[in-house]
Amino acid sequence: MGLSAPPSPPLPEWARRLCPSPSSRAGRRCHGDGGLAEARRVSSQVPGRPRTHGAAVLTQAPGGGRAARAGMAGQFRSYVWDPLLILSQIVLMQTVYYGSLGLWLALVDGLVRSTPSLDQMFDAEILGFSTPPGRLSMMSFILNALTCALGLLYFIRRGKQCLDFTVTVHFFHLLGCWFYSSRFPSALTWWLVQAVCIALMAVIGEYLCMRTELKEIPLNSAPKSNV
């Protein structure tokens, strides 16, 4: 009387779901002897199922997915809401605006031997093409927009914030002109000059800041690995 082989243990539920139909040869092997081994073999061939050795290679290899993502995340600054920093930048840009405007007015007035005055800076009625002080003031405002664009580059350093700080600086200048003249600026020439200055300062400042931001992004920071 021959000895019969011991019955195979029942398959777990996860192995039953992975086994093919019992009518096929692979299904009979899976449901019969060696079911667990066959189920593991089938599970390793399921598309989209990560393999253990592949995951280990990606984790341990230098410059792998997680290491590369962490390295790239460290290259970008995190920006949080800081009212004190924003207030300091507004005060700094306003100082740059009036400081450079005063220097340009003094320079152009010195070239034509004219007497500088605060009216050239805060009087909205003086701007125009009909008088020499008006033409000199317009030239100084245009040159000042170029100087303030450099101020955006060195003190703001973010292209997305250039327009915000530009409008803020000219808004406070509007309040200064209103307070100095005791009347709201209504001269069309003054508004046209301010619009041109806002456009020049914002566009040039954003262009310079974007160039700086692109230079700070390393494109080949991840080390190469030999596969």
Side-chain angles (χ1 to χ4, degrees):
M1 183 176 181
L3 296 177
S4 61
S8 302
L11 291 176
E13 185 64 25
W14 65 268
R16 293 178 181 274
R17 289 196 296 266
L18 292 175
C19 287
S21 174
S23 59
S24 62
R25 180 178 180 183
R28 290 193 297 271
R29 290 183 56 190
C30 185
H31 287 276
D33 297 335
L36 288 177
E38 183 67 19
R40 291 192 181 98
R41 187 185 66 82
V42 173
S43 64
S44 64
Q45 298 176 358
V46 174
R49 183 183 177 90
R51 299 186 178 183
T52 306
H53 65 276
V57 171
L58 290 177
T59 305
Q60 298 173 2
R66 296 179 182 176
R69 286 193 296 268
M72 292 181 64
Q75 301 297 332
F76 296 93
R77 295 181 296 175
S78 58
Y79 297 96
V80 295
W81 171 254
D82 191 350
L84 182 60
L85 175 62
I86 296 176
L87 181 62
S88 303
Q89 289 176 325
I90 292 175
V91 173
L92 184 59
M93 286 304 304
Q94 207 71 38
T95 305
V96 171
Y97 180 82
Y98 286 120
S100 60
L101 180 58
L103 291 177
W104 283 116
L105 285 172
L107 179 61
V108 296
D109 288 339
L111 292 177
V112 297
R113 297 180 181 180
S114 177
T115 303
S117 65
L118 288 178
D119 291 343
Q120 293 178 288
M121 188 179 295
F122 293 106
D123 191 358
E125 303 295 334
I126 202 174
L127 293 179
F129 296 96
S130 58
T131 60
R135 291 192 293 268
L136 294 177
S137 298
M138 292 175 60
M139 184 185 304
S140 300
F141 274 101
I142 298 299
L143 295 174
N144 184 54
L146 305 179
T147 308
C148 291
L150 296 177
L152 292 174
L153 171 63
Y154 287 104
F155 301 118
I156 305 304
R157 301 184 65 85
R158 289 201 68 191
K160 294 182 179 180
Q161 293 183 345
C162 288
L163 181 60
D164 298 337
F165 279 94
T166 300
V167 173
T168 302
V169 166
H170 286 83
F171 173 74
F172 283 110
H173 179 63
L174 170 65
L175 296 181
C177 294
W178 193 356
F179 177 79
Y180 180 83
S181 304
S182 299
R183 61 181 182 272
F184 188 79
S186 58
L188 179 61
T189 307
W190 186 89
W191 286 101
L192 290 177
V193 170
Q194 300 306 314
V196 171
C197 292
I198 290 175
L200 287 176
M201 180 176 170
V203 171
I204 297 177
E206 184 174 355
Y207 171 75
L208 296 176
C209 291
M210 290 296 293
R211 288 191 60 183
T212 304
E213 291 176 356
L214 291 177
K215 287 182 180 179
E216 293 178 354
I217 301 177
L219 300 178
N220 55 351
S221 59
K224 296 181 180 179
S225 58
N226 296 326
V227 180

